[in-house]
Amino acid sequence: MTSTSNQSAPQVSTSSEQHKAQPAALTTSEAAILAGSNQDAAGRQPSSSAASASELASTKISLLAALRRFPDFPIPGINFIDILPIFQNPTTHRALLRALELQVLEFGVKPDVVVGLDARGFLFGPQLALQLGASFVPVRKQGKLPGPCVTATYEKEYGQDFFQMQEAAIKPGQQVLVVDDIIATGGSAQAAGSLVKQLGGDLIGYLFILEIPFLKGRDKLGGLPTVTLLETDD
C-alpha cells in the first residue's frame, strides 16, 4: 500500500463491516496526540505560544471527528480514511486552514512557494499559500502540464509512476514547502521534493494533514522537517 494515489489513505483493518461509513472515533494514538498537543518526542506538535497550542488542540478534536472511515473499501481488509468531510463544512474547512497556518511556524522560516501534490494537495495548498503570502505550484501526473517540465519517478503498488513540475515554476534559492493530504509510504512526497531540488529550490520541509506512522513514510524524506497535523494507527 502506498500514498501515491493521493486518495484518502487505505489501511489494514480487521473490521468485518462491508462498505459502511463509520464516524471517526479517536484511536489510541489520536487521543495521545490531543493529550500531548504542545510537543511530542518527534517534535511534530506546535511549539509556539500556549494560546496557539490550545487552539491547535481544540481544532484537532473537530478535524478528527470530521474524518470518516469506510471498512473494506476499495477491497476487503482495507480501512479507507476519508478527509473530504472536512471540506464539506465551512467551519471545519476554515479551522483546517488556520491549523495548517499555525503548523508552518514549526519550520522556522516563511516559505516563498507552497507546492501541492496531485490531487488532494490542490484542495488546500492554494488557500494556504495565499494566507502565507506565498506562490502556489502544482505537482501533476506526467503529461498534464504544458511546456517544458522536470520529471521524477515514484513507486506504486504495481510499478512506477511519474510526477512533473513546470521548469519556470520555482526560482533558484526560493524557500519551498511541500504539502499533501496524507503521508503513508512517502514515495510521492519524496518525488515532489526531488522536483523542487531539480529546479534549485531550497526545500524547507513537508506538511501533511494526516500521517499513518506504521508505514514510516517520513523515512524517505531525507531527514527534512516533516510536520503532520493529525496521525492515526487504526
Side-chain angles (χ1 to χ4, degrees):
M1 180 180 69
T2 72
S3 62
T4 57
S5 65
N6 291 298
Q7 300 294 321
S8 301
Q11 301 162 62
V12 176
S13 171
T14 57
S15 172
S16 61
E17 296 184 62
Q18 297 291 325
H19 304 281
K20 180 180 179 183
Q22 299 293 323
L26 300 189
T27 65
T28 301
S29 66
E30 291 167 349
I33 291 169
L34 297 177
S37 60
N38 287 340
Q39 187 174 4
D40 68 11
R44 290 191 289 246
Q45 301 307 319
S47 59
S48 55
S49 68
S52 294
S54 177
E55 181 181 357
L56 274 166
S58 176
T59 299
K60 288 176 183 181
I61 293 173
S62 64
L63 294 176
L64 287 167
L67 298 175
R68 291 186 301 176
R69 292 174 171 85
F70 289 85
D72 299 314
F73 179 84
I75 60 175
I78 298 297
N79 189 25
F80 190 92
I81 298 181
D82 185 13
I83 69 164
L84 292 181
I86 291 175
F87 300 94
Q88 294 166 7
N89 183 309
T91 299
T92 53
H93 189 174
R94 189 178 300 109
L96 171 67
L97 291 171
R98 171 58 178 162
L100 291 172
E101 186 178 12
L102 289 173
Q103 293 285 53
V104 172
L105 297 174
E106 289 292 303
F107 297 95
V109 59
K110 177 185 174 297
D112 301 309
V113 181
V114 172
V115 168
L117 275 63
D118 192 340
R120 299 297 176 95
F122 300 168
L123 292 174
F124 61 94
Q127 296 164 304
L128 179 61
L130 189 61
Q131 290 182 189
L132 296 172
S135 64
F136 175 77
V137 173
V139 169
R140 298 216 62 190
K141 297 293 183 66
Q142 188 175 40
K144 298 295 185 180
L145 292 170
C149 294
V150 291
T151 304
T153 62
Y154 62 96
E155 296 295 327
K156 298 177 67 174
E157 293 91 340
Y158 305 107
Q160 291 184 329
D161 208 342
F162 302 88
F163 265 164
Q164 290 188 320
M165 184 185 295
Q166 290 173 315
E167 284 188 358
I170 294 174
K171 298 178 177 61
Q174 284 189 310
Q175 306 286 314
V176 182
L177 176 66
V178 172
V179 304
D180 200 11
D181 63 333
I182 291 170
I183 177 170
T185 61
S188 58
Q190 181 186 40
S194 172
L195 294 175
V196 171
K197 294 174 183 178
Q198 286 184 56
L199 295 178
D202 183 3
L203 181 59
I204 65 173
Y206 299 84
L207 175 63
F208 303 95
I209 294 175
L210 182 68
E211 179 172 11
I212 306 170
F214 77 88
L215 292 175
K216 302 184 184 301
R218 63 174 59 219
D219 291 351
K220 292 183 178 178
L221 303 183
L224 285 169
T226 301
V227 176
T228 59
L229 183 61
L230 309 170
E231 68 178 51
T232 183
D233 59 2
D234 66 324

